[in-house]
Amino acid sequence: RSISAVYPGSFDPITNGHIYIAERAAALFDEVVVSVLLNPQKKAAFSVEERKAMAREALSHLPNVKVDSFSGLLVDFLRQEQSRIIIRGLRALSDFEYEFQLALMNRQLAPEIETLFIVTEARYSYLSSHAVKEIYQFGGAVHDMVPPGVFRRLRERFPLPGN
Ligand code: COD
């Protein structure tokens, strides 16, 4: 039988760090569902539809990766997809506490579901959606941190003189 995994996140917007994790996961599983989930703690810059469109474009080279969205509990999305594996990416030690809490909470909610962590590559270890938005809005160069479609949408969303 085929094994599917879910890579959930805010993806606001998707970055080269997220793409790296999706590529590693796609090499391990028959199918990977990248799911844009609502994170109530974070105020989003892009709508769910925009985030999905950017992710779809950025991951179109991976035939076994599909992009979806969900607004309830992550574990309910996994049950809907009949998947038992959550993929998360780890950057620095600072990710650990949050990720640990999320993984234990999800296990409490659904003991049959496992969270698997994929360690990032050194060059992406400082990269986050939040940093990309902040750097871009202060006029910094982000074109090598995000795929071209995301760069284009950043320019549309936050027009800057000279960009
Ligand atoms: N390199 C490697 N990995 C990275 C990088 C990078 N440069 N950048 C981000 N990542 C990883 C993150 O560590 C994370 O694992 C994943 O990619 C996604 O990151 P984000 O920031 O887009 O997504 P988050 O952390 O905001 O996602 C949180 C969820 C939306 C998954 C969470 O809030 C959730 O499950 N919400 C649904 C409600 C729910 O079920 N709550 C109960 C659980 S407490």
Side-chain angles (χ1 to χ4, degrees):
R1 73 190 178 90
S2 76
I3 301 183
S4 76
V6 172
Y7 178 29
S10 306
F11 303 111
D12 184 39
I14 192 164
T15 70
N16 292 344
H18 292 129
I19 295 167
Y20 179 78
I21 299 297
E23 286 169 347
R24 307 283 306 184
L28 288 176
F29 299 101
D30 299 300
E31 184 185 57
V32 174
V33 186
V34 170
S35 189
V36 178
L37 269 104
L38 229 58
N39 184 346
Q41 326 264 22
K42 294 185 186 171
K43 203 177 157 290
F46 294 98
S47 72
V48 169
E49 284 311 313
E50 288 173 311
R51 287 183 257 164
K52 275 205 297 198
M54 287 186 276
R56 269 203 191 108
E57 198 181 315
L59 300 169
S60 61
H61 63 295
L62 300 169
N64 62 333
V65 172
K66 70 173 189 183
V67 177
D68 207 339
S69 61
F70 199 70
S71 61
L73 284 178
L74 173 57
V75 295
D76 289 336
F77 179 75
L78 270 98
R79 283 169 171 160
Q80 176 188 297
E81 290 292 313
Q82 298 188 324
S83 171
R84 290 174 24 170
I85 301 165
I86 299 170
I87 302 290
R88 296 286 288 172
L90 274 186
R91 285 162 295 191
L93 209 56
S94 52
D95 272 343
F96 185 78
E97 181 147 356
Y98 171 61
E99 292 293 342
F100 193 66
Q101 189 184 0
L102 211 66
L104 288 184
M105 197 65 89
N106 285 324
R107 179 173 290 163
Q108 174 106 358
L109 295 169
E112 77 281 11
I113 290 172
E114 207 65 72
T115 302
L116 294 186
F117 295 100
I118 295 178
V119 170
T120 194
E121 183 146 282
R123 64 195 153 124
Y124 301 133
S125 59
Y126 56 89
L127 184 53
S128 69
S129 303
H130 175 77
V132 163
K133 285 176 283 189
E134 194 160 283
I135 293 166
Y136 181 80
Q137 288 179 77
F138 288 118
V142 298
H143 54 267
D144 56 355
M145 302 179 191
V146 293
V150 169
F151 188 58
R152 198 181 62 239
R153 275 171 199 259
L154 278 169
R155 286 183 16 185
E156 288 164 12
R157 176 55 40 89
F158 308 109
L160 291 179
N163 247 323

